[in-house]
Amino acid sequence: MKAKHQRLYLALLGVAAIAGASGLALSALKDQAAFFYAPGDVAKQGLPLGRAVRLGGMVEGGSIRKLADGVTITFTVTDGKATVPVQFKGITPDLFKERSGVVAEGEFRPDGRFVASNLLAKHDEKYMPPEMAGKMAELKPAAK
C-alpha cells in the first residue's frame, strides 16, 4: 500500500472515530438534559410528564407550608400568568423565601403537581450578603 493511501485511510478512520465518540456523548447527554419551563409555558403547552425539567418563577407570597414530617415543604411558583404547586423534600437554600426567584429541578405528576428534587434560589442583581452590607455601611464616609 502506498504511503498516500495509508494516510488517507488513517485520516478517514480518525474522522469516523471522532464522529462515533460525538454520537455516543450526545446520546448520553440526551437523557440528562433538563428543559426549562415557566408556569405560563406549562399552562399553554400542557404537562411534560415523564422527564426531568426545570420550573422557574417567583415563590408566591404566603404559599410556603411545612408538612408534619419537618423536611417537606409545599409552595406555589408563579410567573404572573399562571401558577404551579411545588413539593420539595430536603433542606432549602438560604436565599429561598416568599416573593423571590426560584428554579426547581424535578418532574411533573399527572395531578399537576411539580415534585422537586433540587431547589436553586435566585436573587436580583442588587443583592448583597448581610455581612458585606454592614461592612459597606462602615466604609462610607459620613455626610457633612
Side-chain angles (χ1 to χ4, degrees), residues 10 15 21 25-27 35 39-40 54 57 59 71-72 90 97 103 115 119 121-122 131-133 136 139:
L10 284 175
V15 169
L26 289 174
S27 173
F35 296 97
R54 290 182 176 164
V59 178
V71 293
T72 304
K97 60 184 178 185
V103 174
V115 177
L119 288 182
K122 301 185 322 181
E131 300 83 17
M132 194 62 166
M136 292 302 287
L139 294 175

Side-chain angles (χ1 to χ4, degrees), residues 99-116:
R99 295 183 182 88
S100 68
V102 67
V103 174
E105 297 175 339
E107 62 182 33
F108 281 96
R109 298 297 160 100
D111 63 0
R113 216 171 18 114
F114 186 82
V115 177

Side-chain angles (χ1 to χ4, degrees), residues 11-119:
L12 290 174
L13 183 64
V15 169
I18 290 173
S22 298
L24 286 174
L26 289 174
S27 173
L29 288 176
K30 180 177 66 174
D31 296 334
Q32 298 298 321
F35 296 97
F36 183 85
Y37 290 92
D41 298 336
V42 174
K44 284 182 195 172
Q45 302 169 6
L47 296 175
L49 298 174
R51 65 179 202 213
V53 296
R54 290 182 176 164
L55 174 70
M58 300 293 284
V59 178
E60 199 168 53
S63 70
I64 299 176
R65 304 274 185 263
K66 237 181 201 183
L67 299 184
D69 66 2
V71 293
T72 304
I73 63 165
T74 62
F75 58 96
T76 305
V77 174
T78 184
D79 63 354
K81 299 175 188 170
T83 61
V84 173
V86 178
Q87 181 177 345
F88 174 70
K89 185 174 185 174
I91 299 171
T92 59
D94 290 338
L95 295 175
F96 179 78
K97 60 184 178 185
E98 294 176 350
R99 295 183 182 88
S100 68
V102 67
V103 174
E105 297 175 339
E107 62 182 33
F108 281 96
R109 298 297 160 100
D111 63 0
R113 216 171 18 114
F114 186 82
V115 177
S117 57
N118 190 21
L119 288 182

Side-chain angles (χ1 to χ4, degrees), residues 126 128 131-144:
K126 297 176 190 160
M128 186 177 297
E131 300 83 17
M132 194 62 166
K135 291 188 188 286
M136 292 302 287
E138 292 172 6
L139 294 175
K140 285 185 181 177
K144 293 184 182 180

